[in-house]
Amino acid sequence: MELTTWLNDRLQMRGDVVSQTLEQGAFICTVYYLSDGIDLEMLQTHVLKPLLLPYPGENEDRLSDILERRSFFPTTYAVTQSPEMALNGLLNGQALLCIAGQEKGILFPFQKQSQRAVSQAENEKSIRGPKESFVENIWTNLSLIRQRMKSEKLAVEHFTIGSESRTLVMMLYMNGRCSSELISTIKGKLQAIRTERVTGSSFLEEALDSRLSSPFPRMLNTERPDLVASSLFEGRVAILVEGTPNNLIAPATLLSFMQSSEDYYQRYFFSSWVRFLRYLFFAVSLVLPSAYVAITTFHPEMLPYNLLISIASSRDIVPFPAIVEAYIMEVSFELMREAGQRIPTVIGQTISIVGAIVIGDAAVQAGIVSAPMLIIVALTGISSFVVPHFSMTLTVRFLRFVLLCVSAMFGLLGLLIGIILIVIHLVSLDSFGTPYLSPFVPFKAEQMRDAAGRFPWTRWMRRSE
């Protein structure tokens, strides 16, 4: 079947597809493109004008110039090998030329797509580092990475996923640094995806994850090109998805979510100190409310006498047990945090701060909650913001409610059992073959230079030599 006939059958319901037929004796061709989707001046100059000019030779010579020697049009173009490739290119915004009697089509990259300019990173801010962030255009994102990696070892593989969305996905890695097993695993999983649409990088993150029951993320999503470039140099794989500014890095360990781009743009002892505080407050945000509930409910003798009297007097008028009080404050804090994210940026932070002050003070004055519980919840919420990556923050917020429940039932014993179960789960978890607690468990001395702290760059340079 001719490509023109095949396309007319498939596109008869698409009113936004423009077709223009040109006849020059026995040479008949049809140009397809999306209305308002291509540069018409480029189409007129580089395609229509050469086709309308008289050709001195035979039609066979003209076909040879177009399909084989590719010297007929004064622009770059690609010859498709199948009707599906031609349709895919057309729906991606390219101009398609079909010649009567031929099953091959010619695609011209004359897309005219609206896109926003490269701007500052909104969710992963940096003081001394670069301010650029990814955008929704995948080719712009690839260009931002190439600006930081001028190496011939950078490999880029293309995939089209989604029978209806036809989403372009790119897999990037460094030849010689990334393990072949990791490359084949991720490549096989991408090729095995069968779906109608890909809504974003979060869809692929779930599709590639083999343990969805785990609350811990196993792929790192980021909007920073410098973080992707650094991960590629470390032997990881990056996955770019068309239509989203958040792209994926694999494998990802617990250490990956504790690292910030700012760590590599400050002096090493400042970065090491801040990273230590990050681990400390990660633990504080996870266990502090549970420990408070367990101690005040089951083990008040562990508190100093003066502190115990102060807490008891503040809770004297509170009608609820400590666990109910904790859940009231935690849910209220989550409510204000979600509301602050949904409200426009200009007034979101103001409303969150004012709401927290007013509601917290009113709740203490009314005797619904005690002042120590308000302090505990506020300190816990602030500690959770120290974690650099939002996906790990969600995990901490979820596990905090679980630990609160077991602590209210079994005291410090329940809290200890909950922490042990979390550690056991982390030890059993891996990300595409890499242990989740690496390089701590199993211990890898050569990788400790960028684990709990960061070694000076001079150590790194001597190591590479």
Side-chain angles (χ1 to χ4, degrees), residues 236-310:
R236 302 184 188 181
V237 172
I239 299 176
L240 308 184
V241 184
E242 183 182 21
T244 177
N246 294 288
N247 298 293
L248 303 174
I249 299 173
T253 62
L254 182 64
L255 175 63
S256 305
F257 296 95
M258 294 292 110
Q259 294 174 332
S260 172
S261 298
E262 193 66 26
D263 295 346
Y264 304 96
Y265 301 113
Q266 302 289 351
R267 296 291 297 274
Y268 73 94
F269 41 84
F270 293 137
S271 300
S272 300
W273 168 243
V274 171
R275 191 174 293 180
F276 169 76
L277 291 179
R278 208 172 285 148
Y279 282 104
L280 174 63
F281 287 106
F282 172 80
V284 167
S285 65
L286 184 63
V287 304
L288 183 59
S290 305
Y292 175 81
V293 170
I295 291 174
T296 55
T297 304
F298 294 95
H299 316 282
E301 67 278 1
M302 296 181 61
L303 298 174
Y305 180 75
N306 292 335
L307 180 59
L308 179 61
I309 294 299
S310 175

Side-chain angles (χ1 to χ4, degrees), residues 159-223:
F159 304 88
T160 301
I161 303 178
S163 59
E164 301 297 336
S165 64
R166 302 175 187 269
T167 305
L168 178 60
V169 176
M170 295 183 183
M171 185 176 74
L172 283 66
Y173 57 90
M174 291 281 286
N175 277 317
R177 294 199 179 187
C178 187
S179 68
S180 57
E181 183 179 355
L182 175 62
I183 296 172
S184 60
T185 299
I186 296 180
K187 184 176 179 179
K189 289 188 175 183
L190 287 174
Q191 293 174 337
I193 295 176
R194 296 292 181 268
T195 181
E196 291 184 351
R197 65 188 186 278
V198 175
T199 55
S201 59
S202 58
F203 178 92
L204 291 184
E205 185 177 1
E206 289 192 16
L208 296 175
D209 196 345
S210 58
R211 291 187 63 176
L212 293 176
S213 58
S214 174
F216 289 91
R218 299 202 297 162
M219 298 186 73
L220 187 66
N221 66 84
T222 180
E223 59 180 355

Side-chain angles (χ1 to χ4, degrees), residues 205 209-221 236 249-259 279 282 286 387 389-396 399 421-444 447-448 450-451:
E205 185 177 1
D209 196 345
S210 58
R211 291 187 63 176
L212 293 176
S213 58
S214 174
F216 289 91
R218 299 202 297 162
M219 298 186 73
L220 187 66
N221 66 84
R236 302 184 188 181
I249 299 173
T253 62
L254 182 64
L255 175 63
S256 305
F257 296 95
M258 294 292 110
Q259 294 174 332
Y279 282 104
F282 172 80
L286 184 63
V387 180
H389 296 277
F390 184 69
S391 54
M392 183 57 69
T393 304
L394 294 176
T395 301
V396 174
L399 293 177
L421 291 177
I422 292 175
V423 173
I424 292 174
H425 175 71
L426 289 174
V427 171
S428 66
L429 202 61
D430 70 275
S431 176
F432 297 94
T434 301
Y436 202 70
L437 293 182
S438 177
F440 302 107
V441 180
F443 183 77
K444 298 179 181 178
Q447 297 182 13
M448 293 302 294
D450 190 26

Side-chain angles (χ1 to χ4, degrees), residues 111 260 280 300 333 368 452 457:
Q111 298 100 320
S260 172
L280 174 63
F333 191 88
I368 298 176
W457 287 118

